[in-house]
């Protein structure tokens, strides 16, 4: 008998469980989804004292939170990657066969340097296939990305694995399901159907907060097919009523939140929901007025616990936060822009010359040969490109020596440097991210330094190749970390080499592949002081008064300032969000991607607004008339103000 004191939504879930249904609890921001998850686990164990429950989430912090709320021997809480590895690592013969199969499949992004491998390639490995923090496919060492691919293939190929998993766990629960990689969803909702054993798969989350591109986003296909039954949780325990009403205007999935009936909910005061404030400010003159607005608000922006400024405008933040040199490389390289101009000319003009053996410099010379006037102008740098080339002549001469087939594949943008699609610093590689492998490698170095300094020694040893056998090893490690910690003024290259040589962070396959394919980028980055990267690290990890919109997912603050500025991002467009008529003005090619960008932007804006527990202010620089009118609809005309005066 299900306990009567459970939340109505949890009682509804158990109704589905009794019918053998897989389920989904959908709840908006601040609805208390984790509380429902904990209630379900506690009741499931109470009703089934002899069965095991598996609960997966994304970060080590979330794992600890759930373990602290439910302490029971029948409950296993882990990250998704750890869970999948734990359930395939004992089947080494199958693992070796699978890895060989995938390495030899050109459609799969798992490769060894020598190409195709034979059926006995991994037989000589003493320790078999291993899962570590770095990748060395040649030596049978896989990391986070490969675990998902291997597990998906193995559960699809070996139905016996599905039997074993279902026998082992009566309940498999996935927290923050919307961010789950589709490969994981396939395992639980498709591959496990190969087994006739019975168990329940439960998902908890919010499709409107699926702001990570590699996530499944929603389970609508499975819901419509009757394979998953949805339970909606529509209360809001965090936000004031003004923010709740704004958030409801932004949602697209039919969930309309209302204040909780619990008088003790955080957003209640004296038996009533807090009113709160929402304001929309704009400037038609320039972003400098943002500082004027911040002074006018009179919030304590140095108090990162109480007040947060959320930005996508990294270009404006970079100099203040101290990583401008890296931003210049990743977002202002006009030599690469010129390379793109050359590649575009070749494609659009159907140039039939074979450039496969030519350098970038030779391609430029061949295309210019014999051209004059307007034709020459098409293959010359633009004025802006030429100014950059003149100021970076040595860099340009180096670029001209690269094989064109290699150089033309190098693309850099802010996402390669700044993409923040993970949730905590220990999980750098566990979320899909657009950061390139060089930046990921630097993050691993700094993460490992921090783990040691925070005395989290077990985690440190698990993530590094360092081994301690005696007191001398401990002292050597202490000296090594202290040396690394003093290397802020050394170059990035020196830090990478020292961390590798001292087994703090190995250069793996992914790092080596980056050097092979993007040496041009590494040559520029390696000369920069490590302190510049550390400034970037602390910015993205939320140690500065500024923050990215991704970083605050799940967090909450009394005061939230959201700065809307497209900043030339390809993945977000606030003009799309707030100007409904813009679709008609787009070219056919842009219309095809309009809905994807709009949906992504709408979700990131929803996440930002719903962080506010008291006051929400949105600032938009240089809005169109249509955007101002849309703001009046969403925020109320009395809450929309120009700050130019």
């Amino acid at each position: 008998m299900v306990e009567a004191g459970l939340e109505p939504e949890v009682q509804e879930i158990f109704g589905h469980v009794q019918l053998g249904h897989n389920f989904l609890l959908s709840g908006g921001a601040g609805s208390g989804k984790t509380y429902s998850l904990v209630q379900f686990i506690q009741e499931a164990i109470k009703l089934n004292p002899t069965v095991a429950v598996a609960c997966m989430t994304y970060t080590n912090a979330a794992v600890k939170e759930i373990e602290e709320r439910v302490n029971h021997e029948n409950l296993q809480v882990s990250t998704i990657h750890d869970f999948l590895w734990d359930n395939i690592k004992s089947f080494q013969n199958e693992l070796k066969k699978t890895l060989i199969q995938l390495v030899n499949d050109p459609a799969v992004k798992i490769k060894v340097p020598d190409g195709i491998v034979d059926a006995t390639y991994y037989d000589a490995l003493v320790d078999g296939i291993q899962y570590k923090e770095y990748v060395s496919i040649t030596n049978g060492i896989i990391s986070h990305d490969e675990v998902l691919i291997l597990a998906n293939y193995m559960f699809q190929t070996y139905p016996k694995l599905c039997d074993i998993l279902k026998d082992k766990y009566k309940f498999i629960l996935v927290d923050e399901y919307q961010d789950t990689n589709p490969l994981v969803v396939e395992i639980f909702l498709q591959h496990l159907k190969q087994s006739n054993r019975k168990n329940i798969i439960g998902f908890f989350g919010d499709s409107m907060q699926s702001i990570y591109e590699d996530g499944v986003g929603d389970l609508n296909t499975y819901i419509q097919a009757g394979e998953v039954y949805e339970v909606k949780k529509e209360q809001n325990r965090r936000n004031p009523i003004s923010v709740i009403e704004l958030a409801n205007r932004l949602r697209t999935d039919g969930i309309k939140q209302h204040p909780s009936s619990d008088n003790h909910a955080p957003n209640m005061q004296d038996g009533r929901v807090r009113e709160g404030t929402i304001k929309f400010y704009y400037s038609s003159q320039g972003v400098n007025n943002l500082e004027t607005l911040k002074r006018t608000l009179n919030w304590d922006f140095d108090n990162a616990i109480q007040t947060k400024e959320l930005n996508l405008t990294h270009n404006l933040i970079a100099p203040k936060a101290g990583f401008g040199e890296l931003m210049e490389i990743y977002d202002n390289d006009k030599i690469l822009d010129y390379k793109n101009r050359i590649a575009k000319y070749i494609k659009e003009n159907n140039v039939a010359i074979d450039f496969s053996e030519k350098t970038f410099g030779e391609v430029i010379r061949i295309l210019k040969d014999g051209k004059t006037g307007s034709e020459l102008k098409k293959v010359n740098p633009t004025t802006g490109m030429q100014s950059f080339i003149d100021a970076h002549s040595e860099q340009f001469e180096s670029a001209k020596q690269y094989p064109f087939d290699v150089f033309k594949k190098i693309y850099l943008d802010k996402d390669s440097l700044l993409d923040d699609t993970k949730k905590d610093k220990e999980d750098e590689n566990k979320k899909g991210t657009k950061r390139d492998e060089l930046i990921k490698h630097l993050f691993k170095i700094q993460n490992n330094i921090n783990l040691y300094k925070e005395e989290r020694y077990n985690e440190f040893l698990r993530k590094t190749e360092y081994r301690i056998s005696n007191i001398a090893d401990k002292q050597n490690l202490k000296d090594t970390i202290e040396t690394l910690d003093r290397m802020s003024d050394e170059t990035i290259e020196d830090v990478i080499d020292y961390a590798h040589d001292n087994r703090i962070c190995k250069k793996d396959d992914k790092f080596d592949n980056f050097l092979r394919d993007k040496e041009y980028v590494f040559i520029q980055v390696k000369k920069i002081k490590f302190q510049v990267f550390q400034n970037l690290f602390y910015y993205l990890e939320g140690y500065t008064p500024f923050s990215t919109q991704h970083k605050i997912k799940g967090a909450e603050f009394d005061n939230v300032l959201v700065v809307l500025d497209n900043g030339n991002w390809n993945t977000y467009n606030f003009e799309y969000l707030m100007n409904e008529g813009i679709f008609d003005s787009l070219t056919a090619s842009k219309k095809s991607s309009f809905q994807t960008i709009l949906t992504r932007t709408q979700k990131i804006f929803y996440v930002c607004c719903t962080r506010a527990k008291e006051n929400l202010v949105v600032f938009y620089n240089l809005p169109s008339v249509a955007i101002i009118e849309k703001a009046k609809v969403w925020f109320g005309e009395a809450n929309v103000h120009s700050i130019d005066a």
Side-chain angles (χ1 to χ4, degrees):
M1 176 71 69
V2 175
E3 185 177 315
L6 296 176
E7 287 185 317
E9 296 87 357
V10 177
Q11 293 188 41
E12 187 177 346
I13 288 173
F14 274 104
H16 289 297
V17 168
Q18 290 172 2
L19 297 173
H21 295 163
N22 297 327
F23 66 87
L24 160 64
L25 177 76
S26 295
S31 62
K33 294 181 290 294
T34 302
Y35 181 77
S36 300
L37 170 62
V38 168
Q39 265 206 349
F40 176 83
I41 293 172
Q42 291 172 330
E43 186 69 8
I45 292 175
K46 177 182 175 183
L47 295 174
N48 305 271
T50 63
V51 304
V53 178
C55 178
M56 282 158 282
T57 188
Y58 282 93
T59 68
N60 294 319
V63 168
K64 292 174 183 175
E65 179 185 356
I66 294 171
E67 286 179 332
E68 288 171 358
R69 294 200 197 186
V70 186
N71 183 12
H72 197 281
E73 61 183 359
N74 290 6
L75 173 65
Q76 177 188 331
V77 189
S78 64
T79 62
I80 287 178
H81 293 75
D82 288 343
F83 177 82
L84 292 176
W85 176 247
D86 284 344
N87 284 281
I88 63 175
K89 66 182 180 182
S90 300
F91 303 96
Q92 282 292 324
N93 288 335
E94 290 79 4
L95 265 170
K96 292 174 182 177
K97 291 178 183 177
T98 296
L99 189 53
I100 289 170
Q101 177 70 30
L102 296 178
V103 164
N104 291 332
D105 186 342
V108 179
K109 294 181 180 179
I110 300 179
K111 303 299 173 194
V112 292
D114 298 329
I116 295 176
V117 298
D118 63 43
T120 62
Y121 187 82
Y122 294 113
D123 286 355
L125 294 178
V126 175
D127 297 319
I129 306 300
Q130 300 177 73
Y131 170 41
K132 296 192 175 185
E133 293 295 316
Y134 66 94
V135 182
S136 180
I137 301 299
T138 301
N139 297 307
I141 297 173
I142 62 172
S143 188
H144 309 295
D145 293 339
E146 293 76 30
V147 163
L148 297 185
I149 298 171
L150 263 70
N152 182 278
Y153 185 92
M154 288 180 68
F155 277 101
Q156 181 181 25
T157 307
Y158 302 104
K160 190 67 176 177
L161 276 177
C162 302
D163 288 338
I164 293 170
L165 188 63
K166 282 189 168 184
D167 284 342
K168 192 173 182 180
Y169 298 105
K170 179 177 176 61
F171 299 101
I172 297 177
L173 310 176
V174 181
D175 192 20
E176 300 282 12
Y177 84 91
Q178 70 277 358
D179 300 329
T180 307
N181 190 292
L183 294 177
V184 178
V185 176
E186 279 185 11
I187 292 172
F188 294 142
L189 294 182
Q190 294 185 36
H191 302 337
L192 288 191
K193 289 192 294 186
Q194 298 177 95
S195 170
N196 292 324
R197 312 291 209 274
K198 301 297 182 184
N199 78 341
I200 301 293
I201 312 295
F203 300 91
F204 295 76
D206 181 10
S207 64
M208 276 299 292
Q209 296 186 65
S210 60
I211 58 177
Y212 303 126
E213 289 187 53
D214 74 323
V216 70
D218 60 57
L219 299 177
N220 291 344
T221 301
Y222 297 99
I223 293 171
Q224 293 166 5
E227 297 178 19
V228 174
Y229 289 78
E230 184 178 20
V231 175
K232 295 181 179 181
K233 188 175 188 182
E234 298 188 322
Q235 64 173 286
N236 184 307
R237 301 171 55 85
R238 173 195 299 156
N239 304 123
I241 189 63
S242 56
V243 174
I244 293 174
E245 291 173 349
L246 171 63
N248 283 340
R249 297 183 191 110
L250 298 174
R251 292 197 72 97
T252 58
D253 62 351
I255 288 181
K256 295 296 180 184
Q257 287 191 296
H258 53 77
S260 169
S261 58
D262 179 5
N263 289 335
H264 298 290
N267 59 353
M268 301 294 285
Q269 185 175 27
D270 299 327
R272 300 183 63 183
V273 64
R274 296 176 186 271
E275 185 66 29
T277 64
I278 58 172
K279 302 286 185 182
F280 184 96
Y281 291 95
Y282 64 92
S283 171
S284 300
Q285 295 180 353
V287 293
N288 288 337
N289 277 338
L290 175 60
E291 296 305 317
T292 302
L293 172 61
K294 290 169 69 173
R295 288 193 296 271
T296 302
L297 292 174
N298 200 29
W299 296 349
D300 183 3
F301 282 93
D302 291 329
N303 186 340
I305 296 175
Q306 183 183 65
T307 300
K308 209 67 173 176
E309 175 187 339
L310 308 179
N311 290 270
L312 274 178
T313 54
H314 296 298
N315 295 74
L316 303 176
I317 302 302
K320 299 178 184 179
F323 58 91
E325 289 179 77
L326 281 170
M327 182 66 89
E328 279 291 308
I329 293 172
Y330 277 83
D331 196 48
N332 192 39
D333 191 327
K334 303 301 181 186
I335 294 172
L336 291 181
D337 289 347
Y338 181 39
K339 174 265 298 180
N340 294 339
R341 179 177 172 87
I342 291 294
K344 182 179 180 182
Y345 177 87
I346 293 171
K347 181 178 180 180
E348 291 184 348
N349 291 274
N350 297 314
V351 177
I353 301 172
D354 181 7
F355 291 124
S356 60
E357 302 296 325
K358 305 296 182 183
T359 65
F360 178 44
E362 289 171 332
V363 171
I364 294 172
R365 179 180 54 77
I366 292 169
L367 291 178
K368 285 185 175 183
D369 190 34
K371 289 186 174 64
T372 59
S374 61
E375 284 303 307
L376 180 60
K377 185 177 180 180
K378 292 178 182 178
V379 293
N380 271 337
T382 64
T383 302
M385 293 173 188
Q386 189 61 56
S387 297
F388 184 91
I389 289 170
D390 292 342
H392 301 79
S393 57
E394 185 177 336
Q395 183 177 328
F396 183 56
E397 289 304 314
S398 174
K400 287 162 64 177
Q401 307 310 310
Y402 284 96
F404 184 61
D405 275 1
V406 173
F407 195 62
K408 71 180 181 182
K409 296 176 183 177
I410 297 177
Y411 293 94
L412 288 181
D413 58 26
K414 285 176 288 190
D415 279 340
S416 303
L417 178 70
L418 298 163
D419 188 41
D420 196 36
T421 58
K422 63 183 182 56
K423 292 191 185 174
D424 67 16
K425 57 180 178 280
E426 283 80 28
D427 296 312
E428 166 57 29
N429 290 309
K430 294 187 182 182
K431 290 283 325 144
T433 174
K434 293 182 179 179
R435 288 180 191 163
D436 67 30
E437 296 302 332
L438 172 58
I439 300 302
K440 287 182 183 179
H441 191 81
L442 292 172
F443 259 86
K444 287 197 287 186
I445 293 174
Q446 188 62 48
N447 285 335
N448 290 344
I449 294 172
N450 287 5
L451 285 174
Y452 183 89
K453 290 171 66 177
E454 294 166 6
E455 300 182 358
R456 296 158 64 182
Y457 301 126
N458 288 335
E459 291 179 66
F460 171 86
L461 292 172
R462 191 170 68 246
K463 290 178 178 290
T464 68
E465 286 297 290
Y466 203 91
R467 295 295 173 261
I468 295 178
S469 303
N470 50 51
I471 294 176
D473 290 337
K474 287 186 178 181
Q475 184 60 47
N476 288 336
L477 175 58
K478 181 175 182 292
D479 294 341
T480 297
I481 295 297
E482 288 178 351
T483 300
L484 267 175
D485 207 30
R486 293 193 300 266
M487 292 181 73
S488 294
D489 287 333
E490 304 295 325
T491 67
I492 283 176
E493 180 179 33
D494 288 341
V495 171
I496 290 174
D497 288 343
Y498 186 85
H500 173 79
D501 293 341
N502 290 275
R503 296 171 292 165
I504 302 302
C505 185
K506 287 181 65 69
K507 301 174 186 177
D508 64 0
D509 287 0
K510 292 180 179 179
F511 181 83
D512 291 339
N513 290 339
F514 182 91
L515 293 190
R516 182 193 66 215
D517 299 334
K518 293 187 176 181
E519 181 191 34
Y520 170 81
V521 180
F522 182 67
I523 286 174
Q524 298 174 67
V525 172
K526 72 179 184 179
K527 297 179 289 188
I528 294 175
K529 289 183 178 180
F530 188 59
Q531 179 67 65
V532 175
F533 167 75
Q534 289 177 310
N535 292 338
L536 169 71
F537 177 90
Y538 290 121
Y539 163 64
L540 289 177
E541 294 305 326
Y543 295 107
T544 69
F546 316 106
S547 187
T548 65
Q549 277 100 327
H550 286 97
K551 177 54 59 187
I552 46 73
K553 186 167 179 281
E556 53 188 38
F557 311 92
D558 289 347
N559 309 309
V560 174
L561 169 61
V562 182
V563 181
L564 299 187
D565 187 315
N566 287 327
N568 296 320
W569 285 73
N570 296 321
T571 50
Y572 304 98
N573 193 310
F574 295 106
E575 180 83 17
Y576 287 5
L577 176 66
M578 302 188 70
N579 185 352
E580 296 173 349
I582 199 170
F583 179 78
D584 295 332
S585 65
L586 297 175
T587 62
S589 60
K590 287 190 175 182
K591 283 182 178 179
S592 62
S593 62
F594 172 85
Q595 189 58 50
T596 299
I597 295 173
L598 173 61
T599 300
R600 190 181 297 128
T601 306
Q602 196 160 14
K603 289 179 177 180
I604 198 76
F605 187 51
Y606 174 86
V607 168
C608 290
C609 291
T610 53
R611 301 310 98 196
K613 296 193 293 181
E614 293 282 353
N615 306 304
L616 169 68
V617 170
V618 175
F619 172 74
Y620 201 117
N621 183 50
L622 302 176
S624 65
V625 173
I627 288 174
I628 295 172
E629 292 305 310
K630 186 66 174 181
K632 291 177 181 178
V633 173
W634 280 352
F635 289 78
E637 188 165 354
N639 294 319
V640 177
H641 307 281
S642 168
I643 63 169
D644 292 337

